[in-house]
Amino acid sequence: MNNTLAKSISSRLLTLAVLLLLVMLAGFSTFSRSLFEPQILPELEKKAEKVGTYVLAQIDRAVEWGIPVDKLSGTDELFDDILDDNKDIGFITITDLNGKRLHLRGTLSTTFDAGLAQITRDAVQAKAMTQGRLGTVFITKSLPIETDTGGIVGVLHVGARADFVSNQLEEVYYDLAIILLVAALFTFEILLYFVNASILRPIRDIHEMATRLADGYFGRPIAPKTRDELGRIGLRIDEAVASVRRRYEELAQAVTGWGADARAKVAGTLDKFEFAFPPKPAELRSSGQQGTALIRIAVFVFSLAEELTRTFLSVYIKQLFDPVPGLAMEVVIGAPIALFMLLWALAQPFAGVYSEKFGRRKVFLVGALLAALGLVASGLALTLVHLLIARSITAIGYAMVFISAQGFVIDNTTRETRAQGMAGYAGGILTAGVCGPAIGGILADQLGFRITFILSAGLAIAAAAMVYRAIQDRPIMTQAERFSLKNLGMFIANPRFMGVVLFSAIPTKLALTALVFFLVPLYLNEQGISQSMIGRVLLLYWLAMIFVSPVASSLSDKFGNRKFFVVVGGVLAAVAGVVAVLNTSIWSMVIGLTVLGIAHGLVMTPQLALVTTLSHGQQTQKLSETTVLAMFRLMERIGNVIAPFVAGLLLARFGYAGAITGIGYILAGCAAICLLLFVAFREPSAPAHEGRA
């Protein structure tokens, strides 16, 4: 019995809920537009008039002192302060009598020059404040600037955004849609767990009991924890087994009174009964698949803690920037991200050893608490040095959590269910990747960066509480071959393995960290995009991965051609870097990140399957699959570590667009080399024991 039924039940319930919520969201959109827009537009007109009157009062005093309108100083600072405090005001400008701009702050395209000249002439002719429109974008209030002696010397224009209400409502719709998506995915995770706990686990326990009874073993009861229909069935089976045990005990008691000759004649039969009815019933252990279902939710909640900070981390680092002699700002900003990835990579092997020595549960709890401490410290950091220390603590905590969670999955699955268990574990991480950036962007906009870090720490503690209450360590079997750095030489000597690592795995992590974690948030922030919108854009990368990865995994298993998916994914990743900055429109970035998500979805699972196959041969065939994957994970993290520095150097030299395009060129070169290596080195045949764990 696997998780397919659980996912089917959860998906159908979730689909009904999503359809209902979508209908409600569409109705709310139509209702809110018809209700709010007619009422808000008059308020915008009053707002523009009030702002214009205030600014004119400041300008009149300077003009009365004889300062020419085109020589006024301090207007930029005055206008900026007003625009910062009034987001519904799109621009403030002063023009001469012909409509030529003399001072401008805000956003006003040159396409409006003709309209601006016309409303200027209207205001001069009326010699009073007039109202006008610039296309469908701005509602304007135009106020003549007059002197006692020279008459009208200029015109002040204040433009309120006519689309401000629509934009604000769109923000609300986007936020509601994001919340809907996050709620749907979170609900799916919860449903998946409870379907496993309430339906599949009792069915699995009954099935296992039936198998034991068929084998003639009556020594382990079901001991159901619920009293629903399945629980009552389990209870009835336990009562029937207990009845048989009582009869056996009565028979065994009677046999003790027999003579030696009589007992000798039934000795073989009594031995069978001793196997079937051991003196003490075996303790009931929780199902391994049930444990992996819960560890998926715990990993999802824990991953969400870091993903909440994804949209603004690079911006937050920039705020704490202190100049370092000889280093560009962009390189220094990348240091905390690179340090985090480096320590995460280096700590994983040691965390794995400790998790085997002290137990997965203990290491998970310690790691989660360390990560929570690091996240709180990150939110309270006052300097870049403080942040570096905080991120180092967080990285060690994350390494402990993820390696212990993977170890727990390995401990509680068989060779036949290992892939399914790891897929569930990875699914929790990917779901968090979808939910985290979008929700984190909203929280950062509403509550600020520091509070969001504190909330992230709360999620890490919540994940620890889930594991503490519901998961127990199992005895860990000693591995014949543990992860060790001494094995590094074996892998370096394998050209097929290193080809995938150097020209597929490392570039994949390079693209993820350099683009998704570093350059894209900074680039969009530089364009004035809100943190909420940045979160929505980053969400598309993870959504694409979630939808594409299972399909790619299934097709690569079906056709057995892992290399095709690895190469195609590498090429698409390179294309994504170029497409993302074809123009300054946010839609280019939307398309680019979606293509990058598709590319990495194609690569992720086939890449893992490929490296275990390519490791066959030479001395590496003596190593377990776990050791191969551990070494692969350590090596691929090089891409995470070098990415911020590569991106920072490109950014300092070529700017944002040039840096993103440069990453695309690097990925294209790696994809080409990877293809050549696949052609040059044929894939070896897998040995007969390929299914080793």
Side-chain angles (χ1 to χ4, degrees), residues 356-368:
E356 292 184 353
K357 182 177 181 180
F358 299 107
R360 315 297 190 188
R361 179 170 174 258
K362 291 179 181 178
V363 173
F364 188 106
L365 294 176
V366 173

Side-chain angles (χ1 to χ4, degrees), residues 533-597:
M533 183 57 73
I534 294 174
R536 297 173 197 132
V537 174
L538 294 183
L539 177 145
L540 296 173
Y541 168 84
W542 299 103
L543 273 180
M545 278 198 70
I546 281 181
F547 286 111
V548 172
S549 181
V551 177
S553 175
S554 176
L555 291 177
S556 68
D557 283 342
K558 181 178 180 180
F559 297 108
N561 191 348
R562 324 284 189 188
K563 296 178 180 179
F564 172 81
F565 291 91
V566 169
V567 172
V568 171
V571 172
L572 280 180
V575 171
V578 177
V579 169
V581 288
L582 282 178
N583 56 57
T584 58
S585 168
I586 192 174
W587 291 107
S588 290
M589 189 60 68
V590 165
I591 296 172
L593 277 183
T594 303
V595 172
L596 184 65

Side-chain angles (χ1 to χ4, degrees), residues 155-324:
V155 178
L156 169 69
H157 304 275
V158 178
R161 296 195 63 90
D163 60 351
F164 177 75
V165 178
S166 298
N167 290 341
Q168 292 299 104
L169 288 175
E170 284 180 5
E171 289 288 319
V172 174
Y173 304 148
Y174 285 138
D175 288 346
L176 287 174
I178 295 302
I179 292 172
L180 170 62
L181 176 62
V182 171
L185 291 173
F186 195 85
T187 302
F188 178 79
E189 296 294 329
I190 299 297
L191 283 174
L192 187 61
Y193 168 69
F194 279 107
V195 168
N196 268 284
S198 302
I199 300 176
L200 293 189
R201 176 181 176 177
I203 293 175
R204 192 179 298 118
D205 288 341
I206 292 172
H207 177 267
E208 290 176 358
M209 171 60 93
T211 303
R212 290 194 298 271
L213 294 177
D215 292 337
Y217 182 76
F218 293 74
R220 176 177 167 182
I222 296 176
K225 296 182 179 180
T226 62
R227 291 297 180 266
D228 56 11
E229 288 78 3
L230 291 173
R232 288 195 293 271
I233 292 174
L235 189 61
R236 296 294 181 271
I237 295 175
D238 281 353
E239 290 174 353
V241 171
S243 176
V244 174
R245 171 177 282 277
R246 285 193 300 270
R247 295 187 180 184
Y248 161 74
E249 291 172 350
E250 292 172 358
L251 177 61
Q253 185 68 28
V255 169
T256 57
W258 295 359
D261 293 339
R263 287 199 301 271
K265 292 179 179 179
V266 295
T269 304
L270 291 177
D271 290 341
K272 294 180 180 179
F273 277 123
E274 288 177 0
F275 164 77
F277 300 99
K280 184 179 180 181
E283 292 185 2
L284 181 66
R285 287 191 179 275
S286 61
S287 169
Q289 292 193 21
Q290 171 65 14
T292 57
L294 187 132
I295 203 70
R296 170 179 172 136
I297 295 181
V299 167
F300 164 72
V301 173
F302 184 82
S303 299
L304 200 61
E306 176 67 14
E307 295 299 335
L308 285 181
T309 68
R310 191 68 69 203
T311 60
F312 63 82
L313 181 59
S314 53
V315 180
Y316 181 67
I317 296 171
K318 188 176 180 180
Q319 291 182 354
L320 299 176
F321 168 73
D322 289 321
V324 177

Side-chain angles (χ1 to χ4, degrees), residues 486-499 502 614-620 631 635 681:
K486 70 181 181 181
N487 303 135
L488 184 61
M490 299 183 187
F491 292 93
I492 293 177
N494 188 328
R496 294 177 293 270
F497 180 88
M498 291 306 298
L502 292 176
L614 295 181
S615 64
H616 297 313
Q618 301 183 7
Q619 298 179 11
T620 53
M631 190 63 72
M635 290 182 177
F681 296 96

Side-chain angles (χ1 to χ4, degrees), residues 462-519:
M466 294 173 65
V467 170
Y468 177 78
R469 288 177 59 87
I471 288 181
Q472 295 180 349
D473 276 323
R474 282 187 159 192
I476 299 173
M477 303 300 293
T478 302
Q479 296 286 337
E481 186 71 46
R482 283 186 175 180
F483 179 91
S484 174
L485 293 178
K486 70 181 181 181
N487 303 135
L488 184 61
M490 299 183 187
F491 292 93
I492 293 177
N494 188 328
R496 294 177 293 270
F497 180 88
M498 291 306 298
V500 175
V501 169
L502 292 176
F503 302 108
S504 179
I506 291 178
T508 298
K509 295 300 183 183
L510 171 70
L512 172 64
T513 304
L515 296 178
V516 180
F517 297 168
F518 186 67
L519 287 174

Side-chain angles (χ1 to χ4, degrees), residues 45 647 677:
E45 296 172 5
L677 289 176

Side-chain angles (χ1 to χ4, degrees), residues 361-428:
R361 179 170 174 258
K362 291 179 181 178
V363 173
F364 188 106
L365 294 176
V366 173
L369 294 177
L370 276 178
L373 176 63
L375 288 167
V376 171
S378 298
L380 301 177
L382 300 177
T383 66
L384 195 59
V385 174
H386 294 161
L387 185 63
L388 285 170
I389 297 173
R391 296 300 290 168
S392 299
I393 297 172
T394 309
I396 295 172
Y398 269 72
M400 296 175 70
V401 165
F402 284 114
I403 200 68
S404 60
Q406 291 181 54
F408 183 87
V409 173
I410 291 174
D411 296 340
N412 289 276
T413 53
T414 64
R415 293 175 180 175
E416 291 75 19
T417 62
R418 182 73 40 80
Q420 176 186 313
M422 293 304 294
Y425 159 82

